[in-house]
């Protein structure tokens, strides 16, 4: 990590929040013409061209880096990410944006719960506590028995689980492959997945009015993760994670302004509990990593 600079981290997070918000609005607009498989096909095709251009740059590292000795890991990563991203776009079109974002915030909690299974890490009491607090937050956001549950709520939680699995697979892959290698196989494989799943029903061609929205989804999908990664270079995850909470009021206000969605107090209360669970988990993991690092230093 570069020198800690919370101001720079916050500026990069503003870029990430703007990108995620634009992608949510664009995804809802696109739902009027394209299904999620078609959207993922077009998004991946545009992203693939962008990645090829980056690889060709003098500082891009060249095309040799896309060779990997672990194709199975890339395949598994992209299956879960493709599923999560499709569920996210389905949720965008079917439930209030603020509810979707609040449910998406459970991603780090799922990472903590699934890490013992996929990375061999220990299941700790702190992880269980964080998950319990997050689950209470989910119930407050979804309000089962008070408000009708939609398929979009299940899709939001499914997306969070898919993104969590994607994070775990990415941690494995980044031990031996570059970021551009990951992006190359992501855009290529997910473009093929989208094509294969969209073909049986016939592939719709977006109208001229819809093309700008498709471009926004494609570009913002890359800029959002670039900004988030850049923020983590200037501040630890325990500092960056709470900053991402700003995405909730931004997307809630955007939903109210563009789609006349009401501002719901339970969404903010539940999201605050989910955030609290995330912060507890992140801080505990940071302390554990610090103790392990200290233990590895010879005295």
């Amino acid at each position: 990590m570069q020198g800690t600079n919370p101001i720079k981290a916050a500026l990069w997070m503003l870029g990430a929040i703007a990108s995620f918000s634009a992608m949510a609005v664009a995804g809802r607009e696109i739902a009027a013409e394209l299904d999620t498989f078609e959207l993922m096909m077009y998004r991946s095709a545009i992203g693939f061209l962008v990645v090829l251009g980056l690889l060709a740059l003098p500082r891009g590292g060249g095309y040799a880096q896309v060779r990997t000795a672990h194709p199975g890991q890339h395949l598994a990563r992209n299956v879960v990410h493709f599923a999560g991203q499709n569920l996210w776009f389905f949720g965008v079109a079917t439930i209030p944006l603020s509810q979707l974002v609040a449910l998406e915030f459970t991603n780090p909690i799922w990472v903590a719960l699934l890490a013992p299974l996929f990375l061999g890490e220990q299941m700790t009491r702190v992880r269980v506590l964080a998950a319990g607090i997050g689950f209470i937050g989910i119930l407050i956001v979804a309000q089962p028995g008070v408000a009708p549950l939609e398929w979009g709520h299940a899709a939001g939680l499914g997306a969070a689980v898919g993104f969590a699995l994607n994070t775990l697979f990415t941690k494995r892959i980044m031990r031996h492959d570059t970021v551009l290698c990951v992006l190359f196989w992501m855009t290529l494989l997910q473009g093929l997945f989208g094509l294969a799943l969209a073909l049986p029903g016939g592939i719709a061609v977006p109208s001229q009015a819809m093309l700008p929205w498709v471009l926004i989804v494609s570009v913002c999908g890359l800029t959002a993760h670039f900004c988030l990664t850049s923020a983590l270079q200037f501040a630890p995850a325990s500092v960056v994670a709470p900053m991402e909470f700003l995405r909730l009021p931004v997307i809630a206000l955007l939903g109210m302004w563009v789609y006349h969605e009401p501002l719901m107090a339970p969404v903010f209360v539940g999201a605050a509990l989910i955030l609290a669970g995330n912060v507890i988990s992140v801080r505990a993991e940071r302390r554990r990593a610090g103790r392990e690092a200290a233990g590895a230093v010879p005295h």
Side-chain angles (χ1 to χ4, degrees):
M1 183 189 297
Q2 301 181 21
T4 301
N5 190 323
I7 301 299
K8 288 185 177 180
L11 291 174
W12 280 114
M13 282 305 300
L14 288 177
I17 291 168
S19 297
F20 281 124
S21 300
M23 191 163 58
V25 173
R28 178 169 288 187
E29 294 297 319
I30 292 170
E33 290 189 12
L34 305 177
D35 62 33
T36 59
F37 298 143
E38 292 165 337
L39 172 54
M40 288 296 293
M41 182 195 70
Y42 286 119
R43 169 188 166 171
S44 298
I46 294 171
F48 185 65
L49 294 176
V50 172
V51 172
L52 289 179
L54 292 174
L55 287 167
L57 292 175
R59 295 185 179 181
Y63 295 103
Q65 65 184 294
V66 304
R67 297 175 182 170
T68 178
H70 305 273
Q73 291 184 17
H74 282 277
L75 179 62
R77 174 193 179 274
N78 284 291
V79 167
V80 297
H81 185 260
F82 181 81
Q85 195 67 71
N86 273 278
L87 289 170
W88 189 83
F89 280 123
F90 179 81
V92 159
T94 53
I95 62 174
L97 298 179
S98 58
Q99 284 193 332
L100 178 65
V101 170
L103 294 173
E104 188 189 347
F105 282 163
T106 61
N107 174 9
I109 295 174
W110 291 113
V111 170
L113 288 178
L114 294 171
L117 178 62
F118 286 87
L119 299 179
E121 297 180 359
Q122 184 180 3
M123 176 62 73
T124 63
R125 285 180 294 179
V126 173
R127 284 180 169 176
V128 174
L129 173 64
I133 294 173
F135 181 71
I136 294 172
I138 292 171
L139 294 178
I140 294 174
V141 170
Q143 302 180 70
V146 178
L149 291 178
E150 306 284 348
W151 281 111
H153 295 106
L157 282 176
V161 175
F163 295 152
L165 289 170
N166 171 66
T167 298
L168 296 174
F169 280 118
T170 302
K171 283 184 177 181
R172 284 185 181 179
I173 293 171
M174 291 305 294
R175 296 170 183 169
H176 40 72
D177 288 338
T178 66
V179 172
L180 283 179
C181 177
V182 171
L183 292 177
F184 174 87
W185 289 109
M186 181 186 79
T187 52
L188 176 61
L189 289 174
Q190 294 192 26
L192 294 175
F193 295 162
L195 176 63
L197 292 169
L199 269 177
I203 297 175
V205 178
S207 65
Q208 187 174 357
M210 196 59 62
L211 280 176
W213 294 116
V214 175
L215 288 172
I216 288 173
V217 165
S218 303
V219 173
C220 288
L222 295 175
T223 59
H225 293 290
F226 179 81
C227 289
L228 184 58
T229 302
S230 299
L232 290 169
Q233 292 179 338
F234 291 103
S238 57
V239 174
V240 172
M243 291 181 184
E244 194 177 3
F245 185 69
L246 291 173
R247 183 152 59 100
L248 179 60
V250 169
I251 203 71
L253 291 172
L254 197 58
M256 181 183 68
W257 177 48
V258 179
Y259 300 111
H260 308 291
E261 295 177 353
L263 293 177
M264 297 177 287
V267 172
F268 289 89
V269 174
L273 284 175
I274 293 170
L275 175 69
N278 288 340
V279 171
I280 290 171
S281 179
V282 168
R283 288 183 174 176
E285 295 303 311
R286 190 181 178 193
R287 286 195 296 269
R288 182 179 64 83
R291 288 195 299 269
E292 290 178 354
V297 176
H299 296 285

